[in-house]
Amino acid sequence: EHFGPLLILSALSVAFVHGAQDVSNAAGPLMQIVATVDAANGKTAAGKAVGAELPWPLLLGVSAFVLGDLTLGSKVIVTVGSKITDMTPSRAFAAQMGTVVALTSATLLALPVSTSECIVGSVIGVGLGKKFTGEGDAGLNIKVLRKIWAAWLLTIPYAACIAAAFYHFVELICRLSN
């Protein structure tokens, strides 16, 4: 009960820095494309930094981000929130703050990192913290963690293959249309 306000604050902090990382990762390429097209059409100077003058790609990214969380996020929320280790309000607060510090540090260093890896790492840290403080074993669900780690290992080559296929398809269409 004492952690209610702290959990709200830490959840808002995670959402803020999550948006700084993931919405930026998603909207950044679109913003650069728009800036390049604008420069080619004489609307802006070539090489001009993109940002506040192009708010619509960010708003589009934020909207898609929220829609994705509302429609598809529940399974991930359940996995991270209850299937890796037992969570209490104090453990949830610690995991969220670990995520906030890790993501904020990476963001300030302009390093695109995975928000999922940060939160899962923080939840694992809470589980290990239970063990080190003598509250019992870490209670980590290794079966769930193996699935998560396997997914992480496969994600980069999987996404690369799909992107290469789309690139090839788009290039083919461009060649055929000329």
Side-chain angles (χ1 to χ4, degrees), residues 58-83:
L58 279 176
L59 294 174
L60 186 65
V62 167
S63 300
F65 186 84
V66 170
L67 184 63
D69 274 347
L70 290 173
T71 58
L72 301 173
S74 62
K75 288 185 175 188
V76 174
I77 291 168
V78 169
T79 297
V80 174
S82 64
K83 291 188 177 181

Side-chain angles (χ1 to χ4, degrees), residues 138-163:
L140 296 174
N141 186 336
I142 300 302
K143 184 177 178 182
V144 169
L145 289 173
R146 280 189 186 126
K147 283 183 178 179
I148 292 170
W149 292 329
W152 288 347
L153 287 173
L154 296 173
T155 298
I156 291 175
Y158 178 65
C161 289
I162 292 171

Side-chain angles (χ1 to χ4, degrees), residues 17-177:
V17 74
H18 191 177
Q21 266 289 329
D22 290 348
V23 172
S24 299
N25 288 340
L30 177 59
M31 292 178 78
Q32 190 56 52
I33 290 167
V34 171
T36 301
V37 169
D38 283 352
N41 293 330
K43 293 182 182 177
T44 61
K48 182 178 179 184
V50 296
E53 70 276 1
L54 295 172
W56 70 265
L58 279 176
L59 294 174
L60 186 65
V62 167
S63 300
F65 186 84
V66 170
L67 184 63
D69 274 347
L70 290 173
T71 58
L72 301 173
S74 62
K75 288 185 175 188
V76 174
I77 291 168
V78 169
T79 297
V80 174
S82 64
K83 291 188 177 181
I84 296 172
T85 191
D86 294 331
M87 296 297 274
T88 63
S90 61
R91 292 176 192 149
F93 174 76
Q96 288 179 329
M97 293 312 296
T99 301
V100 168
V101 171
L103 281 175
T104 301
S105 302
T107 302
L108 292 173
L109 294 170
L111 300 172
V113 298
S114 167
T115 302
S116 299
E117 289 176 3
C118 290
I119 189 68
V120 169
S122 293
V123 171
I124 291 169
V126 167
L128 294 174
K130 288 186 333 189
K131 182 174 184 168
F132 296 141
T133 59
E135 291 182 51
D137 70 4
L140 296 174
N141 186 336
I142 300 302
K143 184 177 178 182
V144 169
L145 289 173
R146 280 189 186 126
K147 283 183 178 179
I148 292 170
W149 292 329
W152 288 347
L153 287 173
L154 296 173
T155 298
I156 291 175
Y158 178 65
C161 289
I162 292 171
F166 270 99
Y167 176 76
H168 179 70
F169 179 71
V170 169
E171 284 294 309
L172 182 64
I173 289 174
C174 288
R175 274 190 245 128
L176 292 174
S177 67

